[in-house]
């Protein structure tokens, strides 16, 4: 239980740290990509604004000079624009309504090629006054802004910027953030496992003290209970001489003493199991003979309720040896058979079957036709001190520890204990043991 709790704490801690690291990495990456995109947009808008101003000036503004030539127009065609305001990683193209190039920054900027111009024209979205998109040309990434010239119908301006370096930066940042996050998660997980172990120290100490107390209390109670049982047996010899009310009280006392003895024995057994966590004796034993012997022990109690115990264990070869704790397996079968008999109706039946389970494994089922277990109680039947019908369990001497002990025995042998049940239809307990022979 301590190991399971520590593992759960470790998993929860790792998941929380992992989520925090992922959120931080994603947030940082989005902020960085947002800043780069904003800067890219600002630069393209500034370049396009300058381009439109220069184009308008060359189309309409007169050449400055003396009064004699002030009214003369600047006869330089717009395609002679020098595009000196463009940065080294920017390019510009101006086309007419037919897609013919009126001006381009080919001389100034080697980015502008025929393939480049053709590509940005194809990629551009038609009939939209303003478009910003990213395209890939010759393994390079470009941001292209296209727009109509102001007051010039059909004249379109394309401003492009090489953003390959920004793309590479974002790619490298993704790898860097991923690697750093994984490294930090590993370091945090290791520290979390260590811290979880330290946090479990007081819980472990408390748990050990509780086990020690349970074992000591159970051990100390055995002696006075044995004395009470012996005294009660002596008094029973004179039972006929006592008044009827005294006889009734003696019967109740005897039942309670027997129940307390079983409770202390079960508590002591659970304390020992919790402390060792392993099988006390690993030995070869005849599993079929163990099942038959346990059934023989239960037949006397079954006959008192006219319950028939039927065995179908032919799949277990007689004399075949299995390795495990014979006493614990016998106790496991006794607990399940005892419950089946207690909660079966009069003149009912209990059927024990065995069959192969996986490679070399054994499955043993114990089925009864009793009152059954409600569906809401099934997940809790193996919990300590849990009783489905508390009144009936107390009348039959139950302590609520039998099934918990049974499950612990099965787990000690590396198997699993399952239950299927329907109200008023009976219950089936399934023991699955791995290869033991």
């Amino acid at each position: 239980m301590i190991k399971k709790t520590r593992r759960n704490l470790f998993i929860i801690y790792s998941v929380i740290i992992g989520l925090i690291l992922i959120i931080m990495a994603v947030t940082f990456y989005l902020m960085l990509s947002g800043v780069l995109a904003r800067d890219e947009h600002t630069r393209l808008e500034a370049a396009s604004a300058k381009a439109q101003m220069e184009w308008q000036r060359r189309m309409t503004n007169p050449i400055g000079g003396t009064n004699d030539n002030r009214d003369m127009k600047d006869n330089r065609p717009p395609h002679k624009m020098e595009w000196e305001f463009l940065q080294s990683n920017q390019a510009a193209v101006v086309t007419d309504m037919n897609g013919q190039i009126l001006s381009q920054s080919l001389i100034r900027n080697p980015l502008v090629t025929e393939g480049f111009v053709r590509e940005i024209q194809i990629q551009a979205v038609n009939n939209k006054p303003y478009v910003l998109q990213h395209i890939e040309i010759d393994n390079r990434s470009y941001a292209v802004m296209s727009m109509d010239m102001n007051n010039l119908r059909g004249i379109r301006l394309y401003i492009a910027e090489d953003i390959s370096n920004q793309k590479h930066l974002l790619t490298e940042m993704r790898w860097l953030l991923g690697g750093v996050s994984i490294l930090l998660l590993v370091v945090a997980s290791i520290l979390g496992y260590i811290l979880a172990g330290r946090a479990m120290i007081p819980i472990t100490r408390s748990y050990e003290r509780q086990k020690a107390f349970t074992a000591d209390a159970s051990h100390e109670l055995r002696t006075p209970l044995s004395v009470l049982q012996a005294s009660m047996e002596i008094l029973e010899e004179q039972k006929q001489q006592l008044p009827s009310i005294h006889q009734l009280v003696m019967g109740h006392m005897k039942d309670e003493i027997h129940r307390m003895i079983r409770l202390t024995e079960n508590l002591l057994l659970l304390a020992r199991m919790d402390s060792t966590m392993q099988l006390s004796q690993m030995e070869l034993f005849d599993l079929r003979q163990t099942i038959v012997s346990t059934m023989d022990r239960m037949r006397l109690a079954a006959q008192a309720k006219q319950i028939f115990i039927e065995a179908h264990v032919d799949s277990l070869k007689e004399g075949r040896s299995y390795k495990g704790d014979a006493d614990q397996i016998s106790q496991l079968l006794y607990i399940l058979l005892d419950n089946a008999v207690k909660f079966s109706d009069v003149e009912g039946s209990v059927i024990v079957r065995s069959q192969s389970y996986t490679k070399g494994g054994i499955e043993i089922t114990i089925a009864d036709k009793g009152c059954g277990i409600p569906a809401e109680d099934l997940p809790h039947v193996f919990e300590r001190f849990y009783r489905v019908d508390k009144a009936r369990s107390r009348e039959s001497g139950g302590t609520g520890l039998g099934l918990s002990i049974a499950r612990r025995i099965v787990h000690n042998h590396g198997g699993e204990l399952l239950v299927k049940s329907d109200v008023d239809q009976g219950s089936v307990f399934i023991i699955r043991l791995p290869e033991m022979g």
Side-chain angles (χ1 to χ4, degrees), residues 1 42 46 137 179 194 216 287 289 291 304 383 433:
M1 185 182 70
T42 301
I137 304 175
I194 296 173
D216 293 341
L287 180 58
Q289 183 59 40
I291 295 175
E383 296 177 4
L433 300 174

Side-chain angles (χ1 to χ4, degrees), residues 287-307:
L287 180 58
R288 176 174 178 171
Q289 183 59 40
T290 301
I291 295 175
V292 173
S293 298
T294 307
M295 292 174 60
D296 290 339
R297 290 167 53 196
M298 284 302 306
R299 279 200 168 90
L300 184 61
Q303 289 175 1
K305 293 183 63 174
Q306 299 179 5
I307 294 175

